[in-house]
Amino acid sequence: MAGKIPTSPLAPAAFPDLPVIEGVRFATIEAGVRYKGRRDVMLAELAPGSTVAGVFTRSKTRAAPVLDCQEKIGLDSAGGAAIVVNSGNANAFTGRNGTEATRAVTSATAAALGLDETRVFSSSTGVIGEPLPHDRVTAKLGDLKAALDPAKIEEAARAIMTTDTFPKGAKAEVVMEGGRVKIAGIAKGSGMIAPDMATMLVYIFTDAQIERSVLQDMLGALTDVTFNCITVDSDTSTSDTLLMAATGASGVVVTEESTGFIEALRGVMLDLAHQVVKDGEGATKFVEIHVTGAASDADARTHAMAIANSPLIKTAIAGEDPNWGRVVMAIGKSGADADRDLLTIRFGDVLVAENGWVSPDYREEQGAAVMKRQEIPISVDLGLGGGTATVWTCDLTHGYISINADYRS
Amino acid sequence: MAGKIPTSPLAPAAFPDLPVIEGVRFATIEAGVRYKGRRDVMLAELAPGSTVAGVFTRSKTRAAPVLDCQEKIGLDSAGGAAIVVNSGNANAFTGRNGTEATRAVTSATAAALGLDETRVFSSSTGVIGEPLPHDRVTAKLGDLKAALDPAKIEEAARAIMTTDTFPKGAKAEVVMEGGRVKIAGIAKGSGMIAPDMATMLVYIFTDAQIERSVLQDMLGALTDVTFNCITVDSDTSTSDTLLMAATGASGVVVTEESTGFIEALRGVMLDLAHQVVKDGEGATKFVEIHVTGAASDADARTHAMAIANSPLIKTAIAGEDPNWGRVVMAIGKSGADADRDLLTIRFGDVLVAENGWVSPDYREEQGAAVMKRQEIPISVDLGLGGGTATVWTCDLTHGYISINADYRS
């Protein structure tokens, strides 16, 4: 089905040249879970001593692999670990069968790689409500193990795609006191197709040495300012999963005070988050919404998300219409504090509205020129306090309707 | 612009034959506020002794006429009253100029009809951020006064339309101990067009005799189960206004215990609310979402609105796709209590999912048959408690994108 959807006009020119992370090996294979003629299972093996942290969907109807990961993620272990992911079937809302299928995959992977089962994390993405044909995955574990290769991360990024229109990768290198460490991450999301459901899966690897609890706290804090600040259509998957593994192979220790590393990791996470938005269903515009002057950071985020999720604003952007009135509307409805007469609204550098009315110097052509860009910055100052937030989204186009209503499985 | 949008396929066959409400007279006129060749101002005059109650948008960026109404609505008075409404310009986000324009219209109306200015309520709907040319309205007040006629309610319903594709009216008659009372209501909403903003305006009239505070409480309570239970696209106007006037001309007293009257009024409000949904931008399906078994009524409403506002569900309905997985997704993300394994989902009478998985007897053709209907009932039982809610929405189609992105003003 993915082939029917043209590549996003916002896609990067090429997949980045990701560095090898010592201590991680990848393999992919065509297991025929649902798709034909493409690789649909990826295995990542993590060397002994690797720590793993994870952040997951807050959905109350979480899929079985997510529940399984959440049980395992807090456990300490000195042994190796693995991540096994299939595309084509989300193993979500599959009742007790879902739990059994997840266990079948993770226990077989553990046996094949000589790992403790609690150290095998799995994800599934694709159609929901259908039983995962787990035997098709487990039948390939021998071949997957034999194919493990430190350089195969791009293939891994491709194997986890569902209706994504491009594979997503990002990297960073940090020079620290103890030496040089590398970060490489891959993601999938968020094309979708009836009756599939968008799922964001992200896997990040580093050769830094990071205690599990430190890695977990770092990942959680950075998720709040990266992946939790993007929205395509306000809908939340049952399966969203972000896993990060630190192999320690570089021997360089990272702590909660390693600001250079944290900043580099934030950059990798933000890059992947932006790529997910740029592959949003039907997206033709990438929109950054920056809110300042709110009564609190939480209020700023509420306003920013109200703007980012407003169908009226997203369709106006699709139509290249500098419709600042709809921004006023979204702020008014968000529920967070606002004073109409203190609002300032900018499209790019163009001052559009201030003091409760359109700016006297504003001309519609100025706003229209900003709207013609592929990347559109919208800034709002509430004039109330010091709260700020930045979120990213895409426009709402006929492409979204076509992908989600017209394409039938 | 409205002419470009085809009449909703969900429109009723004809405007209902609304009864004359003694004590109310209507007039409409072409004032050229923005539209050409159509009536765009309506005046309703209410006889002395009429009580007026109102419910308004909760937006924090409310338009000037809304703020003005809210100041006046709590005041008692034995004199007459009036409602004056223009379409074509919302007088919203127009700064101090907006307040002055509202005052100009209401004070001139008061002078023309010999009323206290605090008894003149106004609404404006249409383009926002542009100054209301209030002199075009006030210049017509003499003509409007001369044209006042008890039978002109249908013309009133047409004059307040913006990009509505049909005028909306509803009625009821109640036989009570003291005699017979009548209710007639009109509404506009919620077509929209760049750079306009959808606004719902509703005016309901009765010849019952109802104390102001009783009428206000009744209207507020019934709004929660009617107009506050509909959603087209989750966006909230700066100008939503519901005004109800009781002229008392029938001499029949209605109190908070008049269950027959309250039920009839609820019917009129629900009828108008459904008509607003049926004129939702691009709507081709009318959807009723009924949630039971929630931990509380509030939780049930949260789940129902999460389903009703989900772009993925609304596009699936547009595509006649019985995509129950997206219903599971919306329940999971809503934030209210849910247990995946206790969920029951029905499309129409078809049991789709239960016990955390698709129902063993369900066949896709059954769900697909329900989706082909023009009116689609979706029921969800949470299996947790006694909380219930019912909300109404429409599908999300290419028509919505066309109206809001492609049509440029």
Side-chain angles (χ1 to χ4, degrees), chain B residues 30-354:
Chain B
E30 182 175 341
V33 171
R34 182 183 172 91
Y35 307 127
K36 305 287 170 215
R38 54 157 283 195
R39 292 160 191 259
D40 56 356
V41 175
M42 88 96 168
L43 175 66
E45 182 207 50
L46 303 165
S50 296
T51 51
V52 180
V55 179
F56 304 94
T57 178
R58 293 177 186 143
S59 169
K60 292 207 172 73
T61 53
R62 285 190 281 273
V66 171
L67 295 168
D68 184 62
C69 279
Q70 289 183 301
E71 276 179 27
K72 294 171 174 173
I73 208 74
L75 306 175
D76 271 314
S77 165
I83 300 169
V84 55
V85 183
N86 74 272
S87 54
N89 183 311
N91 191 17
F93 209 66
T94 42
R96 205 182 53 187
N97 183 289
T99 312
E100 288 162 5
T102 298
R103 187 164 308 137
V105 170
T106 57
S107 67
T109 305
L113 299 182
L115 300 171
D116 191 307
E117 194 184 328
T118 62
R119 296 284 284 162
V120 179
F121 304 90
S122 79
S123 307
S124 297
T125 178
V127 66
I128 85 155
E130 291 185 11
L132 176 69
H134 50 82
D135 49 322
R136 295 186 200 169
V137 178
T138 53
K140 298 290 184 183
L141 284 168
D143 292 342
L144 281 163
K145 183 182 176 186
L148 283 165
D149 180 331
K152 295 292 187 191
I153 191 167
E154 178 173 349
E155 284 181 15
R158 291 185 187 277
I160 63 176
M161 290 168 64
T162 56
T163 54
D164 298 59
T165 74
F166 62 89
K168 298 163 189 71
K171 63 177 176 177
E173 272 199 31
V174 194
V175 179
M176 302 181 58
E177 242 177 79
R180 183 182 298 264
V181 297
K182 300 169 190 161
I183 305 171
I186 57 173
K188 66 95 27 187
S190 51
M192 66 191 75
I193 205 153
D196 288 10
M197 178 180 304
T199 292
M200 190 179 72
L201 300 180
V202 186
Y203 306 98
I204 302 174
F205 307 93
T206 179
D207 54 4
Q209 186 178 325
I210 317 179
E211 264 184 51
R212 188 191 55 71
S213 62
V214 172
L215 185 62
Q216 184 66 42
D217 290 350
M218 199 180 283
L219 198 65
L222 292 175
T223 299
D224 281 345
V225 293
T226 56
F227 293 107
N228 284 348
C229 289
I230 62 171
T231 178
V232 168
D233 56 9
S234 79
D235 277 338
T236 306
S237 165
T238 52
S239 306
D240 290 333
T241 294
L242 162 58
L243 287 172
M244 177 160 175
T247 66
S250 68
V252 181
V253 175
V254 160
T255 70
E256 50 273 78
E257 262 126 59
S258 306
T259 51
F261 181 88
I262 292 169
E263 188 50 33
L265 178 58
R266 194 187 69 83
V268 168
M269 292 169 70
L270 197 59
D271 187 347
L272 292 172
H274 286 182
Q275 289 187 53
V276 169
V277 171
K278 287 176 178 176
D279 208 7
E281 318 84 58
T284 67
K285 304 277 189 184
F286 179 75
V287 187
E288 175 172 290
I289 296 154
H290 185 54
V291 173
T292 55
S296 66
D297 285 353
D299 267 19
R301 182 183 159 81
T302 301
H303 284 304
M305 278 294 186
I307 296 167
N309 281 324
S310 161
L312 285 175
I313 292 174
K314 293 162 86 82
T315 48
I317 291 167
E320 300 188 339
D321 178 7
N323 198 321
W324 57 271
R326 293 182 182 176
V327 177
V328 175
M329 175 280 299
I331 293 163
K333 77 159 182 172
S334 82
D337 274 355
D339 181 331
R340 186 189 64 181
D341 296 340
L342 297 178
L343 284 180
T344 305
I345 299 171
R346 281 185 172 80
F347 290 161
D349 293 329
V350 176
L351 176 62
V352 176
E354 60 182 339

Side-chain angles (χ1 to χ4, degrees), chain A residues 60 194 235 310 312 321 333 398, chain B residues 192 194 235 321 332-333 398:
Chain A
K60 292 207 171 74
D235 278 338
S310 161
L312 284 176
D321 177 7
K333 77 160 182 171
H398 284 290
Chain B
M192 66 191 75
D235 277 338
D321 178 7
K333 77 159 182 172
H398 284 289

